[in-house]
Amino acid sequence: MDREDFMREAIRLSIDNVEKARGGPFGAVVVKDGKIIARGANSVTATNDPTAHAEVVAIREACKVLNSFQLEGCEIYTSCEPCPMCLGAIYWARPDKLFYANSKEDASAVDFDDKFIYEELAKPIEKRGLFTQRMLHDEAIEAFHKWNESPMKTEY
């Protein structure tokens, strides 16, 4: 299989997901050493889980397969340019490469518009639409101090 085959599988998953009414029109695959090791399709509405985007589902499965919290040596193929949440998850998973088919503008044209999230993230906290307030910093910082000093931590 080559890159186009991997992308076609992500696209197939997105189309199949719509045809079977299991969720939004998004699919993703994770590839390692030239083989698909995980697949994901959007299941937000089927599972009542707003984080169940295709990329996140595929990342979770790939990490189980690899018994690792990182996807080094892997490539991710998505049927659409990742939303901010998925892009963040992809960066945290640390694959080597990311490929996508539809653009965020294509997604926006069918009412999957993430522009407002990008705009919100660029604003100072006090100007965002979601009320956000910092609390109990003096107590919470203890966890970071303990982490920083712990010889048992697994860095990532």
Side-chain angles (χ1 to χ4, degrees):
M1 293 183 84
D2 63 16
R3 287 187 173 147
E4 289 186 358
D5 293 323
F6 299 138
M7 184 58 77
R8 283 190 181 99
E9 178 61 7
I11 293 167
R12 184 196 67 76
L13 289 167
S14 71
I15 293 169
D16 185 60
N17 213 43
V18 173
E19 291 175 346
K20 294 184 176 165
R22 288 186 296 219
F26 305 97
V29 298
V30 178
V31 173
K32 182 163 178 89
D33 299 327
K35 293 183 180 122
I36 294 174
I37 62 165
R39 289 170 171 81
N42 180 288
S43 61
V44 169
T45 57
T47 61
N48 293 319
D49 179 354
T51 68
H53 290 200
E55 298 91 336
V56 173
V57 172
I59 288 168
R60 288 174 180 162
E61 182 60 29
C63 287
K64 285 180 192 172
V65 168
L66 297 174
N67 194 31
S68 174
F69 53 83
Q70 308 245 295
L71 298 178
E72 292 176 48
C74 294
E75 297 176 346
I76 297 181
Y77 295 79
T78 72
S79 65
C80 187
E81 185 175 359
C83 75
M85 176 185 71
C86 292
L87 189 58
I90 290 165
Y91 270 95
W92 280 117
R94 294 181 174 86
D96 291 355
K97 296 178 181 171
L98 167 66
F99 301 93
Y100 68 93
N102 289 320
S103 69
K104 60 186 174 188
E105 292 79 16
D106 295 326
S108 177
V110 292
D111 296 327
F112 289 97
D113 192 356
D114 301 322
K115 182 179 175 187
F116 78 97
I117 297 173
Y118 287 106
E119 290 171 350
E120 282 289 295
L121 292 173
K123 294 178 184 176
I125 290 172
E126 64 276 1
K127 301 224 185 234
R128 293 180 185 166
L130 175 65
F131 175 83
T132 305
Q133 178 181 341
R134 187 176 186 183
M135 295 177 57
L136 301 177
H137 173 255
D138 291 342
E139 294 176 35
I141 197 71
E142 181 180 351
F144 286 175
H145 292 310
K146 287 186 179 291
W147 169 262
N148 198 38
E149 298 164 4
S150 176
M152 299 179 293
K153 66 185 172 197
T154 300
E155 296 200 24
Y156 57 99

